[in-house]
Amino acid sequence: MKLLMIAPPGAGKGTQAVVIAKHFGIPHVATGDLLRDHVARDTELGRSVKQYLDRGELVPDEVVLEMVKGALEAAQGGGVLLDGVPRTMDQARALYEIALELDMTADVALHLQVTDDELVRRLLARAEDQARSDDSEDVIRRRLELYYEVTHPILEWYGERGILVTVDAMRPADQVGRQILTALEVMKQMTDGNPDLPRRAVDLTGLGAAFGAATSP
Ligand code: AMP
């Protein structure tokens, strides 16, 4: 299974990515983690991107695309989970071109949906226990702003391609994880061996409410 994840900062993308990658036995490629690792090791690349990360700004496309290309080449022929890329429409288009060449285009673009108030609450809590350089309140606001400005619009594109799956990520992480895995398993069974089936975007955010759970605003 080849997946990518689109979610605002604080939606639980990293947590769910680990669960999904483990479940399907596929490599988890997290651009934020790879970049932070370069910064921590003080590599040349790390020094060139540190300021962007500290300010919550996006690093230049070439840097990220080069990293992702290498990861897709390494995973070629199997599944992969991309976490943190694409972040802009330009990245989405470039990634699609790279993936087409490697026959690694995504089967699913997984979108985690969470309200802004909840995102800020979670990010401030994370700031207390992880001391990430980009978890101060003004940087958090900037990262959210950027998300809506340049990342969120990509969802429409994946919707049109019929690979978008949206889940409600307001609930506790283990419940969100179970819903994601259940949905992905069903899709995998339907698409395995039948990759050319016509596809449509799937919105699972109403599932909880349909079964009596409290709805997220
Ligand atoms: P994340 O861990 O995904 O929240 O990413 C942390 C930071 O890494 C972001 O705020 C950006 O500075 C940088 N970053 C990660 N992925 C990308 C990307 N695809 N494009 C540009 N910058 C990125």
Side-chain angles (χ1 to χ4, degrees):
M1 173 144 268
K2 296 181 281 293
L3 297 123
L4 55 85
M5 296 182 79
I6 310 268
K13 180 166 57 75
T15 306
Q16 300 303 342
V18 170
V19 172
I20 299 166
K22 184 162 171 238
H23 179 85
F24 290 103
I26 54 179
H28 171 201
V29 180
T31 47
D33 289 350
L34 294 172
L35 291 166
R36 276 187 291 277
D37 181 56
H38 274 282
V39 173
R41 289 188 289 116
D42 197 28
T43 64
E44 196 179 326
L45 192 147
R47 285 192 291 279
S48 74
V49 299
K50 182 174 186 315
Q51 290 225 329
Y52 294 96
L53 268 78
D54 287 350
R55 291 197 306 256
E57 299 291 341
L58 297 180
V59 310
D61 287 354
E62 320 73 86
V63 176
V64 175
L65 290 169
E66 198 56 38
M67 256 171 24
V68 175
K69 186 171 181 216
L72 285 183
E73 280 166 355
Q76 199 175 9
V80 72
L81 171 58
L82 298 182
D83 160 2
V85 68
R87 284 284 229 278
T88 64
M89 200 58 229
D90 281 350
Q91 286 186 12
R93 289 203 185 91
L95 177 65
Y96 185 59
E97 292 299 319
I98 294 169
L100 264 183
E101 273 193 21
L102 298 170
D103 198 18
M104 288 292 280
T105 53
D107 305 307
V108 172
L110 184 64
H111 168 215
L112 307 187
Q113 192 167 284
V114 178
T115 60
D116 283 2
D117 285 350
E118 175 65 7
L119 293 173
V120 174
R121 193 193 65 72
R122 289 184 190 178
L123 288 165
L124 288 173
R126 182 170 82 184
E128 297 219 336
D129 44 85
Q130 285 186 13
R132 260 175 63 159
S133 65
D134 55 358
D135 274 344
S136 66
E137 185 153 1
D138 50 343
V139 177
I140 288 171
R141 300 254 173 230
R142 175 65 190 143
R143 292 172 67 215
L144 272 180
E145 208 177 271
L146 253 184
Y147 174 78
Y148 285 111
E149 215 175 286
V150 300
T151 308
H152 196 260
I154 309 173
L155 294 173
E156 198 180 324
W157 192 60
Y158 287 119
E160 283 161 12
R161 279 178 51 202
I163 63 167
L164 184 68
V165 177
T166 302
V167 298
D168 173 6
M170 291 289 284
R171 288 160 306 125
D174 58 333
Q175 289 182 27
V176 176
R178 275 200 300 277
Q179 188 178 104
I180 292 172
L181 294 183
T182 306
L184 293 179
E185 275 295 347
V186 172
M187 282 170 202
K188 187 168 183 297
Q189 281 167 32
M190 295 177 80
T191 53
D192 268 5
N194 218 344
D196 299 326
L197 274 180
R199 299 278 309 268
R200 259 197 307 198
V202 182
D203 184 349
L204 297 175
T205 56
L207 202 59
F211 290 92
T215 45
S216 40

